[in-house]
Amino acid sequence: MADQLRTGNRRAVVRASALAVVTAALAVSAALSAFANVTRLTSPERALAVEPNNAVALASLADILLLARGGNAARNGMIVREYALRSLSSNSLNPSALRQLALSNTSIVRGRSARLLGLSEKLSRREFGTQLILIERAVQEGNLDGALLHYDIALRGSPKSQDVLFPILLDTFGDPEIREALAPYIKASPPWAMNFLAYATANAPRPSAVVSLVGRAGGVPKARGATEIEDALLSALVARREFGAAKDYYLTLPGSDPVLLSSPTFDLDEGRRRAGPLEWLLTESSTTGATVLPDGGIQLFGASGESGIAASKILFLPPGHYNLASDFGPTNMPAGSSLQWKLRCLGMEKDETAWQGVNFRPMANKSLSEAFTIAEGCSISALDL
């Protein structure tokens, strides 16, 4: 029984720790600052000069006032309350003004504040400021599901809300409990889901966390841009040197070919799923490079006196002894030029040369065979030509 209690407490600490990140990011002042980015009226004074009782302008002026005072509603609640009441006099169904009344009453009557926020949301679920406050309150109460529900409502209500909420969601990605709670939303594929996956793929410090979310959601939703997100996620994993995660993720994609991961052949099966950075990467520079030939091979080129990597392929090979066979067609190489195979070990923070072959000059219609060994700890490597 004691062990069960300790386990339960640890889960509670994990949840509280993750939610604390969201709480700090969504304090009232921060929420109002974020709201300023999506407000509909940026110069309410001009509107009020023409129409003194303009409900939208009065509500916008109240938001500016809250923002200017650091979101401290208690300090200037009476002024905010005045603007909000004037706004409601012009439009009794103004959800923004109801939210501002709720903020001005926060330190006075908590229950009344909650009722005003509830009424504001009932009138319009698109009132972004209300959703921000409801997110914050759900987080403070330890209600992760409730917080994510209001995230969903806010993100559905305004595309501009993505600029505010996507970075906050991404900051919580380190916690698997939050990824698990977010996965059903991704699976349901609301209008914001694909944009969020694209944002997370491009900005996550550890793209493997995005893979974890996608895996829990049953894959990237089958919507427009799905293949592009899958390809970008593979590229991000390799760029962040999460090679093992890249391998595992590639194998979950429809049409993936396990042989590609361990074979250096240039004869590519056009019917299989493309593998992005796990394919042969061909250099395209003015001095050294390679191009694909119609028969599946590659053609190398290099400027006189220059050297560099023309082609490179990530390989997942267990430790052991291997033989590399190369077949060559017609060549036109100037005197003194040569080719060389090299193998780099990628499993560490910095690449290390695991093997390098001899410098050779290929002969037309001839094969070259070289033996090499992959040592323990080098099961992820890059073969360079």
Side-chain angles (χ1 to χ4, degrees):
M1 184 66 178
D3 287 341
Q4 291 177 349
L5 286 174
R6 282 198 296 270
T7 300
N9 288 339
R10 184 163 59 249
R11 283 180 59 82
V13 168
V14 169
R15 170 172 287 201
S17 174
L19 292 176
V21 176
V22 188
T23 303
L26 279 177
V28 174
S29 59
L32 290 171
S33 297
F35 179 62
N37 294 326
V38 292
T39 185
R40 291 174 296 171
L41 192 61
T42 56
S43 300
E45 297 89 346
R46 295 182 182 178
L48 291 171
V50 176
E51 186 182 350
N53 293 319
N54 184 303
V56 174
L58 286 165
S60 296
L61 194 59
D63 276 326
I64 291 174
L65 180 62
L66 284 169
L67 177 60
R69 299 298 178 91
N72 190 338
R75 184 188 303 169
N76 57 354
M78 293 301 294
I79 304 175
V80 172
R81 179 180 174 83
E82 177 189 346
Y83 284 136
L85 289 173
R86 285 177 58 192
S87 177
L88 287 170
S89 295
S90 296
N91 178 5
S92 60
L93 301 180
N94 187 336
S96 298
L98 289 169
R99 167 179 54 79
Q100 289 150 3
L101 276 181
L103 286 175
S104 68
N105 281 281
T106 297
S107 61
I108 304 172
V109 185
R110 176 78 176 189
R112 184 180 182 186
S113 174
R115 289 194 295 273
L116 288 168
L117 284 173
L119 181 56
S120 174
E121 184 185 30
K122 186 176 180 180
L123 287 172
S124 175
R125 291 168 68 122
R126 298 175 67 89
E127 215 294 305
F128 185 50
T130 297
Q131 295 303 326
L132 284 174
I133 304 304
L134 291 173
I135 289 171
E136 180 193 10
R137 293 196 172 178
V139 168
Q140 290 175 341
E141 295 167 0
N143 184 357
L144 175 58
D145 294 334
L148 289 178
L149 173 63
H150 290 295
Y151 267 105
D152 181 43
I153 294 171
L155 288 166
R156 288 173 184 266
S158 170
K160 291 182 179 180
S161 65
Q162 297 177 9
D163 295 337
V164 176
L165 297 180
F166 280 1
I168 300 171
L169 271 180
L170 188 60
D171 282 345
T172 69
F173 252 41
D175 192 295
E177 190 173 3
I178 289 181
R179 296 198 296 269
E180 183 176 355
L182 184 59
Y185 290 94
I186 300 300
K187 185 175 183 177
S189 192
W192 55 267
M194 298 299 282
N195 286 348
F196 176 68
L197 289 178
Y199 174 86
T201 297
N203 295 281
R206 293 181 59 249
S208 55
V210 185
V211 171
S212 173
L213 172 63
V214 167
R216 292 169 187 267
V220 175
K222 301 305 179 186
R224 175 181 290 184
T227 300
E228 288 77 5
I229 290 176
E230 291 169 346
D231 290 345
L233 190 47
L234 271 176
S235 296
L237 288 165
V238 171
R240 292 286 186 178
R241 300 182 69 84
E242 295 191 278
F243 301 111
K247 170 190 174 183
D248 294 341
Y249 179 61
Y250 169 70
L251 291 175
T252 68
L253 301 178
S256 61
D257 181 7
V259 174
L260 173 139
L261 299 173
S262 59
S263 173
T265 180
F266 290 111
D267 296 325
L268 305 179
D269 178 6
E270 293 300 328
R272 64 161 171 75
R273 175 69 159 76
R274 299 292 94 186
L278 302 181
E279 305 270 3
W280 272 102
L281 301 181
L282 307 182
T283 302
E284 297 181 4
S285 73
S286 59
T287 58
T288 306
T291 56
V292 178
L293 294 173
D295 64 1
I298 64 170
Q299 177 174 277
L300 308 175
F301 64 88
S304 178
E306 300 290 341
S307 64
I309 297 175
S312 184
K313 172 75 167 67
I314 294 176
L315 296 173
F316 298 86
L317 295 169
H321 303 287
Y322 295 89
N323 214 47
L324 179 63
S326 311
D327 297 322
F328 297 94
T331 62
N332 181 19
M333 298 180 63
S337 59
S338 63
L339 302 178
Q340 183 185 43
W341 289 108
K342 288 186 178 181
L343 193 74
R344 289 177 288 126
C345 184
L346 303 179
M348 306 174 186
E349 290 187 6
K350 185 178 180 181
D351 295 355
E352 293 186 1
T353 300
W355 166 80
Q356 58 184 24
V358 298
N359 287 297
F360 63 92
R361 287 177 58 82
M363 298 180 63
N365 303 316
K366 296 290 184 180
S367 296
L368 173 72
S369 181
E370 295 186 87
F372 64 93
T373 299
I374 292 183
E376 294 287 343
C378 190
S379 58
I380 307 172
S381 57
L383 181 64
D384 301 328
L385 179 58

